Amino acid sequence: MSTGVRRRLGVEERRQQLIGVALELFSRRSPDEVSIDEIASAAGISRPLVYHYFPGKLSLYEAALKRASEDLAGRFAEPHEGPLGSRLLRVMRRFFDFVDEHGPGFAALMRGGPAVGSSATNALIDSVRQAAYEQILAHLDVAEAPVRLELVIRSWISLAESTALLWLDGRRIPRAELEIQLVHDFAALAAVSAAHDEEMSALLKRMVKDEPGDGPFADLAVRLLSLAG
Amino acid sequence: MSTGVRRRLGVEERRQQLIGVALELFSRRSPDEVSIDEIASAAGISRPLVYHYFPGKLSLYEAALKRASEDLAGRFAEPHEGPLGSRLLRVMRRFFDFVDEHGPGFAALMRGGPAVGSSATNALIDSVRQAAYEQILAHLDVAEAPVRLELVIRSWISLAESTALLWLDGRRIPRAELEIQLVHDFAALAAVSAAHDEEMSALLKRMVKDEPGDGPFADLAVRLLSLAG
């Protein structure tokens, strides 16, 4: 570029560029509202050339979703060090960063719609949920999850998704409040499950035993006690 | 029928019969696996005749979903009498009745897939969620929901959906345990929100003040205290 000569991009490089352009547009408007013409124009190439790299809008959409899914799954990675509550809070911050960056694209995807619902799309969403699930199990140091733990983790993941979606709808609650609240929700759902089941009770006790007095889990306990008092 | 003469059904009657047959088949296998041929055969009519009443499988699927949605929304209706926790528990029982009766159809719908994701389908799902949301608000005696209450209710509804879906996958936890646990989850999520917000704290206090000592909310408190003790 610095030579002033327009460089010809290789096939894979061009595909990656188009994916990036599409994701950038989807971060501001729903994929349904973004045309191939706009993507072509933003990438500085012709509409037929876009179709040369992607046979249709759905295939470009799926490629963009694949990159976004890998990006999100990557943000779940968190060192196995320090208190569990603080680890989860850091992941929640990165999750909201992602939701913030991909707003309309994330909302359109999770709400379903004309461009989504294909089996490839559903498989990608499920792969991200599975990555989140496996990360949490690994942090809890559980190899084989009891069925009630699986329920708590997976249903909490869906709670986090719906909380993020509701946040995007007007951003009426500060995201920092929701990030810490989701960590507290995880503890609360685990506690409800533990209140019904011995195995979950033992697991919860192990989970909180090394939590520091100034960590998110202790913060919840203090807040709830003050609420009851 | 008792005369031995095959009675001719009117158009609307025939449509309703086909919807009933489709729902019955979807309660045992996913809609994707049920062919128009099977529906025709189960209804005792020819395949072309099915197409006479429904132009395609999607339109029959949407009509079946519409009836199921109305059925489910109807089960949310609960008299405004007695403790809130017990009301919610009765609704949860009816919700699991519905999920139990419509197993594969419910799962296919909520997981998305080839037959779903149309805007008509999404609108029906949203209308059921909205009905659930409005019922809860009415029981809480709240006309205009503060944003944090809206978040608690709507995210809890998604938690109930995902819990039901996970239950359908092998039914490895007794449904009665999940019904009461979802009532407890509602209280726990409201408590977490109340721990962060004054308005929610006042609402929670109003919500639990008339709860009896043997109701679901008191049951949770007892269980959690015994867990902490």
Side-chain angles (χ1 to χ4, degrees):
Chain A
M1 295 287 165
S2 57
T3 63
V5 175
R6 184 130 169 214
R7 193 162 63 88
R8 275 193 70 150
L9 300 181
V11 172
E12 194 45 37
E13 218 175 347
R14 180 65 87 187
R15 282 177 56 92
Q16 292 306 322
Q17 182 215 11
L18 286 168
I19 292 170
V21 164
L23 280 174
E24 166 61 23
L25 290 167
F26 298 163
S27 76
R28 285 178 280 124
R29 271 175 308 134
S30 167
D32 297 331
E33 297 163 10
V34 175
S35 67
I36 286 287
D37 279 330
E38 275 179 275
I39 293 169
S41 151
I45 65 176
S46 69
R47 179 191 164 91
L49 201 50
V50 174
Y51 283 111
H52 174 69
Y53 294 105
F54 293 98
K57 191 175 161 189
L58 184 62
S59 78
L60 175 52
Y61 180 82
E62 284 175 358
L65 177 60
K66 185 160 189 293
R67 188 197 283 179
S69 301
E70 287 162 359
D71 172 8
L72 177 53
R75 300 190 199 206
F76 297 152
E78 168 70 28
H80 287 220
E81 287 162 17
L84 280 173
S86 309
R87 297 183 210 171
L88 193 53
L89 181 56
R90 284 191 293 269
V91 174
M92 283 300 95
R93 287 185 187 137
R94 292 197 297 268
F95 171 58
F96 271 83
D97 284 344
F98 176 90
V99 172
D100 202 358
E101 290 161 23
H102 293 273
F106 179 81
L109 177 67
M110 304 309 288
R111 284 192 205 285
V116 302
S118 77
S119 51
T121 304
N122 287 335
L124 279 170
I125 299 177
D126 278 345
S127 75
V128 176
R129 287 178 181 145
Q130 185 62 22
Y133 174 69
E134 286 170 8
Q135 283 285 352
I136 296 175
L137 275 192
H139 281 277
L140 294 176
D141 211 7
V142 170
E144 195 87 17
V147 57
R148 287 169 180 79
L149 177 61
E150 181 177 345
L151 179 78
V152 165
I153 299 176
R154 292 197 191 273
S155 63
W156 175 81
I157 290 169
S158 88
L159 187 82
E161 289 171 17
S162 57
T163 299
L165 269 175
L166 289 160
W167 173 70
L168 277 178
D169 183 13
R171 306 188 182 209
R172 292 167 292 164
I173 304 178
R175 54 171 271 195
E177 184 179 328
L178 298 180
E179 290 159 9
I180 179 78
Q181 209 163 302
L182 279 168
V183 175
H184 289 168
D185 287 341
F186 183 81
L189 295 178
V192 167
S193 184
H196 288 264
D197 181 72
E198 282 293 329
E199 194 175 17
M200 282 299 295
S201 165
L203 205 136
L204 182 69
K205 277 172 186 153
R206 190 160 65 73
M207 196 173 110
V208 299
K209 85 169 162 29
D210 295 326
E211 288 298 301
D214 59 354
F217 289 161
D219 174 42
L220 174 63
V222 170
R223 283 170 187 266
L224 288 178
L225 284 174
S226 115
L227 193 70
Chain B
M1 298 286 165
S2 57
T3 63
V5 177
R6 188 135 169 204
R7 192 164 64 88
R8 274 192 73 148
L9 300 181
V11 171
E12 193 45 37
E13 217 175 348
R14 179 65 86 187
R15 282 177 57 91
Q16 293 305 323
Q17 181 215 14
L18 285 169
I19 292 170
V21 165
L23 280 173
E24 165 62 23
L25 290 167
F26 298 164
S27 76
R28 285 179 277 123
R29 270 174 308 134
S30 167
D32 297 331
E33 296 164 11
V34 175
S35 67
I36 287 287
D37 279 330
E38 274 178 276
I39 293 169
S41 150
I45 66 176
S46 70
R47 177 189 165 92
L49 201 51
V50 174
Y51 284 111
H52 175 69
Y53 295 103
F54 294 97
K57 192 177 161 186
L58 183 62
S59 78
L60 175 52
Y61 180 81
E62 283 176 359
L65 177 58
K66 185 159 189 296
R67 188 197 283 178
S69 301
E70 288 161 359
D71 172 9
L72 177 53
R75 300 190 199 206
F76 297 153
E78 168 71 27
H80 287 219
E81 288 162 16
L84 281 174
S86 309
R87 298 184 209 170
L88 193 52
L89 180 56
R90 284 191 293 271
V91 174
M92 284 299 97
R93 286 185 188 136
R94 293 199 297 270
F95 171 59
F96 270 84
D97 285 344
F98 176 89
V99 171
D100 201 0
E101 290 162 24
H102 292 274
F106 178 81
L109 177 66
M110 304 308 289
R111 285 191 204 285
V116 302
S118 78
S119 51
T121 304
N122 286 336
L124 280 170
I125 298 178
D126 278 345
S127 74
V128 176
R129 288 180 180 144
Q130 185 62 21
Y133 174 69
E134 287 170 9
Q135 283 285 351
I136 295 176
L137 276 191
H139 280 277
L140 294 177
D141 211 6
V142 171
E144 195 88 16
V147 57
R148 286 170 181 79
L149 177 61
E150 182 178 344
L151 179 78
V152 165
I153 300 176
R154 292 198 193 271
S155 63
W156 175 80
I157 290 169
S158 88
L159 187 81
E161 288 171 17
S162 58
T163 299
L165 269 175
L166 289 161
W167 173 69
L168 278 178
D169 183 14
R171 306 190 181 206
R172 291 167 293 164
I173 303 177
R175 53 171 271 193
E177 184 179 327
L178 298 180
E179 290 159 8
I180 179 77
Q181 209 162 302
L182 279 168
V183 175
H184 289 169
D185 288 341
F186 183 81
L189 295 178
V192 167
S193 184
H196 288 263
D197 181 72
E198 282 294 329
E199 192 175 20
M200 282 299 294
S201 165
L203 206 137
L204 181 69
K205 276 170 187 153
R206 191 162 63 74
M207 196 173 110
V208 299
K209 84 171 163 27
D210 294 327
E211 288 298 302
D214 60 352
F217 290 160
D219 174 41
L220 175 62
V222 170
R223 284 170 186 265
L224 288 178
L225 285 174
S226 115
L227 193 69

